[in-house]
Amino acid sequence: MAIRVLIVDDESLARDTIQLLLTDKEMFDIVGECKTGNEAPLAIQADKPDLVFLDIQMPGKNGFDVIETVGPEHMPVVIFATAYDQYALQAFEAHALDYLLKPYDDERFEKALDRAVKRIKERQIGVLG
């Protein structure tokens, strides 16, 4: 079963980097990209991703606004990917699974992905159980 991924970042290079890092991983299916926080809640509701890579500072809604709009209980697994370290505590308070500080390396990205896969599987087992 593929893990559905949504990438939300206003910087095209950041979106491209995540896409590139997921390219050779068959278990991940990128279902969409958003350039603003305003687009993200609609995409989350429409595309039903399992995992969202979410930037914090974007035009329109910021990453925390996106979570609030969708509702924390309805959010997929979230990995924040941002250039701002000062939001880390707030991100974990918003139940983010991980916090990738740009620029991150392949090894750090892989660790975040591994954690995401485990959490998604736990959620799926919880739904089935």
Side-chain angles (χ1 to χ4, degrees), residues 68-126:
E68 187 63 32
T69 300
V70 173
E73 68 280 5
H74 299 294
M75 280 296 294
V77 171
V78 173
I79 296 175
F80 277 108
T82 183
Y84 303 96
D85 62 355
Q86 68 263 34
Y87 299 109
L89 180 58
Q90 188 178 355
F92 288 111
E93 288 174 349
H95 305 289
L97 177 71
D98 213 324
Y99 195 90
L100 292 173
L101 190 58
K102 298 174 187 173
Y104 44 84
D105 59 25
D106 293 3
E107 182 179 340
R108 181 67 183 89
F109 185 83
E110 289 294 327
K111 286 181 181 178
L113 266 189
D114 289 345
R115 292 184 72 209
V117 169
K118 288 176 186 169
R119 176 69 54 85
I120 291 164
K121 287 181 179 178
E122 289 169 0
R123 283 185 171 189
Q124 291 170 344
I125 290 169

Side-chain angles (χ1 to χ4, degrees), residues 18-116:
I18 293 171
Q19 266 196 352
L20 184 64
L21 290 169
L22 292 174
T23 297
D24 63 343
K25 299 179 183 347
E26 292 179 12
M27 77 178 332
F28 296 94
D29 180 19
I30 298 172
V31 296
E33 290 185 16
C34 298
K35 297 174 187 164
T36 71
N38 291 338
E39 299 170 10
L42 296 173
I44 290 168
Q45 293 167 347
D47 297 330
K48 306 276 190 261
D50 302 300
L51 172 62
V52 175
F53 285 93
L54 185 59
D55 191 11
I56 291 180
Q57 290 195 350
M58 298 176 287
K61 296 180 187 304
N62 68 33
F64 300 113
D65 294 337
V66 169
I67 292 172
E68 187 63 32
T69 300
V70 173
E73 68 280 5
H74 299 294
M75 280 296 294
V77 171
V78 173
I79 296 175
F80 277 108
T82 183
Y84 303 96
D85 62 355
Q86 68 263 34
Y87 299 109
L89 180 58
Q90 188 178 355
F92 288 111
E93 288 174 349
H95 305 289
L97 177 71
D98 213 324
Y99 195 90
L100 292 173
L101 190 58
K102 298 174 187 173
Y104 44 84
D105 59 25
D106 293 3
E107 182 179 340
R108 181 67 183 89
F109 185 83
E110 289 294 327
K111 286 181 181 178
L113 266 189
D114 289 345
R115 292 184 72 209

